[in-house]
Amino acid sequence: MRRLSISYKVLFVMLLMVSVVCTLVVGLLLKQSSTQENELNQSLFARDITRYHQISSLLGDRLSVWVESLKHQTQGAVLTEEQLLSRLKLSSDFLLLQWDVSSVWLINDQGKVRFSEGITLPDSLRPMVAQTLQQGRPQQGVYCRSYCEMVVSTPVMLPNGKTNAVVMTTSLQEVLALLSEASQAELALVRQPDSEVGYQSSRLYINSSLSDKQATMMRGILGDIPPATTIKRLITRGIEVTSGENAYYVMLLPLFNSNANGHYVMFVHDIDDRKRTFQIQKLIIFLGGLGLVLTFVVSMFALLRRYAQKLDALSNMLPLLAQKRFEEFKEQNKRSFFRNQWFSDELDVLGTAAEELAEKLETLDQQVTVNTAKLEKMAMFDSLTGLPNRNMMTFQINKLLASVKREKGGLALLFIDLDNFKKVNDSHGHHFGDEVVKVASERLSGALRENDLIARFGGDEFVILINHVESNEQVESVAKKLTAEFVEPMRIAEHTFYITISIGIAYTVDSKSNALEMMRHADTAMYEAKLLRGSSYRFFDANMNQKVMRQVELESEARVAIEEQQFFLALQPQISLKTLKLVGFEALLRWRHPERGLVSPGEFLPLLENTSMMAELDFWVMEQAIMLLSEMRTKGYPGVKMAINLSAAQFANASLQPHLTELITKYSVDASLVELELTETVLVADIDRAVETIQQIRSLGCQIAVDDFGTGYSSLSYLRLIPSDIIKIDRSFINGMMEAGTDRNIVDSTINMVRSMGQEVIAEGIETAAQLDQLSRMNCQYGQGYFISKPIEQQVLWQVLQSQVVNGRWVLLHKS
């Protein structure tokens, strides 16, 4: 579609502006002309009203002067009432012939009619008579019946000091005749129907006029008045009426005196010539404004045409740059623009600049072509590992899902996360973290088939897509191969890292599934695998969603539990197996829910372990345990130790040592009585970092215990590397040592090995007297378990100690 050039747009804008200005000027001039016309009409109106009052007053004064002259016709004597009455009778014919006086009344000071010539005095005139007698001066008015007459009431003073009034009525025809001659207007008396008297009606009828011809013209004009016109409009402003081929200005003068309501004097001025003059004036104003606009348009078009042609050429050329037709652009540029400096203008300069731009764009296009391939690779592949990234994998998932229905088999998505990867980053820096990610990507890629897809989603997360899956067992086989790749530790530079993986698996044969849903399901299953602690995999099922919801709910309830002090410590005694001396307690976290009662640690700890709440709970337990240790010293148990379990997150937390130092100082406890327990899994994940952290803790004077020994990566080499003080033999070996000779040999050799290294041994899970006796004969130093005592709730600890501890020895409730 062809578009207007900028020059024509400028012309259009300027035309619009000039048109607006001319319209405003023409409008103002037209308005001024209309205002002048209205002012002329109003001046006519005001002048006619003035003339009416002047003429009616003059004629009324003539009758009043005649009445006054009666008093001076008695040759110096005062005019009596009888003489006045006589002269009025004699003058009736004179008044009728001379001034068209139709009725004469003489009213005494009591308001009684003393003389009447013509009609009976109407009651509507009595207020005027009363006003004349009261004020002692003439009064004028109008009285209307089927026709209207002017009424003049004149006071006459009598010898006895009393005043009579002479009232006369005369026709308004003389007033109309004089007024018509003076105002050069056609006049008539008009009236409203009795039922419509008021300003809102516009129906009028001729009452009287100067001639029949005039009456006919007036009726025509009344018929041409618009029906919506009101009497008020005719009285206040008048109206222009077109009747026949002429224009008239019509206005009404109300006759309000006496009973004249609904009667008016109608003035009609012929304004046809003046109207034509104003119309010609308005036409000249309009044509002048139009001519000015057209002159401007023609002038601007002539000036801007050349610019428009060049802009049009430029607009046709520029798309060639987008199409990379650079040579064609240069040819058209040479034909369309001048190169001579004497004839060139701004657009020619623009054409030269466009040619230079084309040359630079041509060079840039060549560079972009080279770089595009690089950018496409960067957009779809991970820069660290070279694997496809999230965008590429999402595309592939949706693509394969669309083909699931057509092809045989289902689609499995494995979401993989490196366990304890954050500890590597925090302890050794991101450089080592990147190296771990690269080694992990190589191991994962090496375990897959050629048609399987693997991508890095960011951080320590990988996604593997397996197509044409026949059964869950096939996916499970792949998961086992992947976990087997991480049995061997990673050796990077001089460091050794024990990295395991957690795998969440989502499997579908439904083509209506989508990538987002599958990744969400696999991610949920991966977190379930993490709960199994190390190189585990889980298939997604619907119950996992409920578990996630339960985890969120549990985390929220745990926050409330801390505020409302629902958490408490349960302390399990640790004793010397030879002497039964109480040597310490292990602090265990418990939760008494207000509605569900005592919540099992196996229920809430795994759910909270990977939440932000766990760190807060860990440090809360540590403070509560050290506070109890301080109370034991003051209550007579000064040498009793307190064993506190450390989670993997708490052990990797940089604030562990400062916080521990602060608590030891705050509660003034002996640091050697604080024992921190760590599982083997936590320790061997990053041995170098673990050794460094343990040394920092031991520098405070605290002791380190290896918990659940024998269940993880236990070996003599690890024990030599880890600077621990105490080894705790896992309960699984204690439970089976009385029946299985293998377990008994493991326990015995472990005790001998640990003691030979100068460390102490604690046996967990002692539940029978036989187990206690056997461990004692094996020279196991310390033990704990239900046979000795179940964990004691914090609030009843002191009562239990009073009954169970005698001379520092723990009293066994079961006999050996």
Side-chain angles (χ1 to χ4, degrees):
M1 184 179 68
R2 187 177 180 84
R3 296 183 179 180
L4 289 175
S5 66
I6 185 65
S7 57
Y8 287 115
K9 291 180 180 179
V10 171
L11 176 61
F12 177 76
V13 172
M14 296 183 70
L15 173 61
L16 185 62
M17 294 173 61
V18 171
S19 300
V20 171
V21 172
C22 289
T23 301
L24 291 174
V25 173
V26 169
L28 290 174
L29 292 175
L30 292 176
K31 184 177 180 181
Q32 185 179 6
S33 177
S34 299
T35 302
Q36 286 180 338
E37 191 173 1
N38 290 333
E39 288 176 351
L40 287 175
N41 289 339
Q42 292 301 314
S43 65
L44 279 178
F45 194 8
R47 186 180 63 190
D48 289 346
I49 292 174
T50 302
R51 286 173 176 168
Y52 169 78
H53 288 298
Q54 288 175 345
I55 292 173
S56 60
S57 178
L58 179 65
L59 295 182
D61 290 345
R62 181 180 62 183
L63 294 177
S64 296
V65 169
W66 181 83
V67 172
E68 289 290 332
S69 68
L70 293 179
K71 297 190 294 183
H72 302 289
Q73 296 178 10
T74 57
Q75 298 179 356
V78 178
L79 185 67
T80 63
E81 184 176 344
E82 287 73 15
Q83 292 174 331
L84 177 60
L85 182 61
S86 173
R87 292 189 180 180
L88 286 174
K89 291 179 181 179
L90 293 174
S91 303
S92 296
D93 293 336
F94 168 77
L95 293 172
L96 178 64
L97 293 175
Q98 186 69 23
W99 295 315
D100 198 19
V101 175
S102 59
S103 299
V104 180
W105 298 279
L106 176 65
I107 296 94
N108 63 13
D109 60 343
Q110 301 298 320
K112 293 182 180 180
V113 179
R114 298 280 295 157
F115 171 74
S116 175
E117 179 68 28
I119 65 172
T120 305
L121 178 68
D123 292 337
S124 59
L125 296 182
R126 288 189 178 277
M128 181 189 293
V129 174
Q131 192 173 5
T132 302
L133 294 174
Q134 182 180 1
Q135 297 179 0
R137 58 176 180 168
Q139 302 289 330
Q140 295 183 11
V142 176
Y143 171 69
C144 293
R145 292 172 291 172
S146 58
Y147 57 90
C148 293
E149 296 178 303
M150 184 172 68
V151 181
V152 179
S153 176
T154 306
V156 178
M157 297 293 296
L158 299 178
N160 56 4
K162 295 182 178 180
T163 302
N164 285 10
V166 176
V167 181
M168 292 178 282
T169 63
T170 180
S171 173
L172 285 175
Q173 293 296 102
E174 186 177 3
V175 175
L176 296 180
L178 292 174
L179 188 57
S180 177
E181 183 178 353
S183 63
Q184 298 298 311
E186 301 294 336
L187 287 90
L189 291 178
V190 296
R191 64 180 176 84
Q192 290 179 275
D194 294 339
S195 61
E196 297 181 9
V197 173
Y199 283 158
Q200 300 305 317
S201 174
S202 61
R203 292 176 58 193
L204 295 169
Y205 299 96
I206 301 295
N207 194 332
S208 64
S209 61
L210 296 177
S211 66
D212 292 339
K213 180 180 178 181
Q214 187 186 61
T216 301
M217 183 191 75
M218 291 294 191
R219 289 190 182 93
I221 292 173
L222 286 175
D224 291 329
I225 293 176
T229 306
T230 62
I231 296 297
K232 183 176 182 180
R233 166 68 188 273
L234 292 171
I235 293 173
T236 56
R237 288 185 291 162
I239 190 172
E240 291 185 6
V241 179
T242 300
S243 183
E245 298 181 356
N246 289 347
Y248 298 96
Y249 178 65
V250 180
M251 53 188 175
L252 295 181
L253 176 65
L255 301 175
F256 290 116
N257 303 86
S258 189
N259 68 333
N261 281 348
H263 292 74
Y264 308 89
V265 178
M266 185 171 77
F267 294 84
V268 178
H269 288 274
D270 188 341
I271 60 171
D272 194 65
D273 292 339
R274 189 185 74 191
K275 191 75 174 176
R276 293 181 189 277
T277 301
F278 274 104
Q279 288 176 346
I280 293 172
Q281 181 185 18
K282 292 176 181 179
L283 182 62
I284 292 172
I285 292 172
F286 175 77
L287 293 177
L290 182 61
L292 180 61
V293 173
L294 292 177
T295 302
F296 175 80
V297 171
V298 172
S299 301
M300 291 298 298
F301 180 79
L303 291 173
L304 294 176
R305 179 175 173 77
R306 181 166 172 267
Y307 289 94
Q309 291 174 341
K310 293 184 178 180
L311 286 172
D312 190 51
L314 189 60
S315 67
N316 291 329
M317 290 161 50
L318 288 176
L320 298 177
L321 294 179
Q323 300 167 14
K324 301 180 182 180
R325 295 155 61 184
F326 300 108
E327 292 301 324
E328 189 176 346
F329 177 88
K330 293 175 184 177
E331 289 297 326
Q332 290 193 22
N333 186 274
K334 291 178 181 179
R335 292 196 303 267
S336 302
F337 296 93
F338 293 114
R339 293 295 182 268
N340 191 308
Q341 62 178 352
W342 296 104
F343 298 100
S344 64
D345 54 23
E346 293 84 355
L347 291 179
D348 294 316
V349 175
L350 183 60
T352 303
E355 185 174 3
E356 295 175 358
L357 176 63
E359 294 175 354
K360 293 181 179 180
L361 286 176
E362 186 174 10
T363 303
L364 183 61
D365 179 65
Q366 296 171 355
Q367 297 174 353
V368 169
T369 303
V370 175
N371 294 333
T372 298
K374 297 179 181 179
L375 291 174
E376 288 177 351
K377 184 176 181 181
M378 292 173 60
M380 302 303 287
F381 292 87
D382 177 54
S383 60
L384 178 63
T385 62
L387 297 176
N389 61 13
R390 180 188 293 265
N391 295 331
M392 172 68 84
M393 180 57 79
T394 303
F395 171 77
Q396 292 295 335
I397 294 172
N398 287 322
K399 179 180 176 182
L400 292 176
L401 279 172
S403 64
V404 163
K405 191 173 183 180
R406 299 192 305 269
E407 300 181 7
K408 185 179 179 181
L411 189 67
L413 188 147
L414 284 69
F415 201 106
I416 302 170
D417 185 82
L418 305 183
D419 300 325
N420 300 318
F421 178 74
K422 185 176 183 300
K423 291 171 59 178
V424 177
N425 267 338
D426 293 344
S427 59
H428 295 279
H430 291 283
H431 169 70
F432 280 93
D434 290 345
E435 292 299 319
V436 168
V437 169
K438 287 196 285 186
V439 173
S441 69
E442 293 171 1
R443 292 187 179 186
L444 292 172
S445 300
L448 299 176
R449 303 172 301 179
E450 290 186 2
N451 60 339
D452 295 333
L453 299 177
I454 179 173
R456 182 189 177 209
F457 263 38
D460 60 336
E461 295 176 341
F462 297 87
V463 170
I464 294 175
L465 192 62
I466 304 175
N467 199 14
H468 306 300
V469 177
E470 300 295 336
S471 64
N472 285 352
E473 288 74 16
Q474 183 181 346
V475 182
E476 191 171 5
S477 174
V478 175
K480 289 178 179 179
K481 287 176 61 178
L482 294 173
T483 56
E485 290 292 326
F486 290 85
V487 172
E488 290 295 322
M490 294 183 183
R491 291 177 176 85
I492 300 173
E494 299 176 354
H495 299 278
T496 301
F497 300 100
Y498 288 86
I499 300 296
T500 59
I501 60 173
S502 297
I503 305 174
I505 305 170
Y507 173 70
T508 183
V509 293
D510 185 4
S511 60
K512 294 182 180 179
S513 300
N514 58 67
L516 181 61
E517 182 181 17
M518 287 197 71
M519 286 189 288
R520 188 173 65 249
H521 289 172
D523 185 52
T524 301
M526 183 270 293
Y527 278 103
E528 285 292 313
K530 275 189 174 294
L531 296 178
L532 302 178
R533 296 182 179 274
S535 290
S536 303
Y537 60 88
R538 288 291 301 274
F539 283 86
F540 173 80
D541 63 60
N543 293 330
M544 290 182 180
N545 280 332
Q546 297 178 357
K547 191 171 183 181
V548 171
M549 295 175 61
R550 175 61 185 143
Q551 184 175 10
V552 174
E553 180 183 351
L554 198 63
E555 183 177 0
S556 176
E557 290 181 350
R559 293 189 182 278
V560 176
I562 289 180
E563 295 175 1
E564 297 182 356
Q565 298 181 351
Q566 296 173 17
F567 287 110
F568 65 93
L569 295 185
L571 299 118
Q572 188 168 38
Q574 296 174 339
I575 66 172
S576 170
L577 298 183
K578 293 289 186 182
T579 64
L580 302 184
K581 179 183 177 182
L582 177 65
V583 296
F585 290 95
E586 180 179 3
L588 303 171
L589 180 63
R590 295 292 184 265
W591 181 4
R592 182 175 285 107
H593 194 280
E595 296 177 359
R596 293 185 291 145
L598 199 62
V599 182
S600 170
E603 179 181 353
F604 71 85
L605 285 178
L607 291 175
L608 294 177
E609 188 170 12
N610 295 316
T611 68
S612 59
M613 273 297 302
M614 201 63 221
E616 189 174 350
L617 276 174
D618 284 338
F619 286 111
W620 181 86
V621 170
M622 179 176 287
E623 181 168 6
Q624 290 294 312
I626 293 177
M627 181 180 67
L628 275 175
L629 187 61
S630 176
E631 292 179 8
M632 286 182 183
R633 185 188 70 241
T634 59
K635 294 196 176 185
Y637 305 94
V640 176
K641 295 188 299 182
M642 184 65 69
I644 305 169
N645 290 284
L646 290 184
S647 67
Q650 190 178 19
F651 184 65
N653 197 318
S655 63
L656 172 61
Q657 182 186 359
H659 187 72
L660 185 58
T661 304
E662 180 184 348
L663 292 178
I664 291 172
T665 304
K666 178 180 178 182
Y667 293 103
S668 302
V669 297
D670 184 355
S672 64
L673 299 178
V674 177
E675 176 186 314
L676 302 180
E677 294 188 1
L678 297 160
T679 63
E680 292 180 69
T681 306
V682 172
L683 293 171
V684 301
D686 183 354
I687 291 180
D688 296 335
R689 175 62 178 167
V691 170
E692 181 183 349
T693 304
I694 289 173
Q695 288 174 345
Q696 292 174 355
I697 295 173
R698 293 185 74 191
S699 67
L700 301 177
C702 300
Q703 291 188 317
I704 297 295
V706 178
D707 197 10
D708 300 336
F709 185 80
T711 60
Y713 299 88
S714 306
S715 71
L716 291 175
S717 60
Y718 299 149
L719 284 179
R720 287 198 303 268
L721 291 173
I722 298 171
S724 59
D725 301 290
I726 301 168
I727 300 297
K728 299 185 72 173
I729 301 176
D730 188 67
R731 68 180 63 247
S732 60
F733 298 106
I734 305 301
N735 289 337
M737 75 175 185
M738 301 307 295
E739 293 80 17
T742 303
D743 286 349
R744 185 163 57 252
N745 292 334
I746 290 174
V747 173
D748 189 31
S749 60
T750 301
I751 294 172
N752 293 328
M753 175 189 66
V754 172
R755 295 201 62 170
S756 68
M757 295 174 61
Q759 299 183 24
E760 297 178 341
V761 182
I762 298 179
E764 295 183 294
I766 300 174
E767 296 185 356
T768 66
Q771 291 172 350
L772 189 147
D773 291 339
Q774 182 65 44
L775 288 168
S776 178
R777 287 195 298 271
M778 291 178 177
N779 293 319
C780 181
Q781 296 154 297
Y782 307 109
Q784 67 183 81
Y786 277 20
F787 179 75
I788 300 168
S789 174
K790 293 182 179 180
I792 305 166
E793 293 188 8
Q794 181 178 350
Q795 59 267 33
V796 298
L797 176 63
W798 309 117
Q799 295 91 316
V800 174
L801 288 178
Q802 287 178 0
S803 62
Q804 293 292 110
V805 179
V806 178
N807 297 324
R809 292 162 53 88
W810 189 266
V811 178
L812 294 176
L813 298 179
H814 310 279
K815 291 184 179 180
S816 298

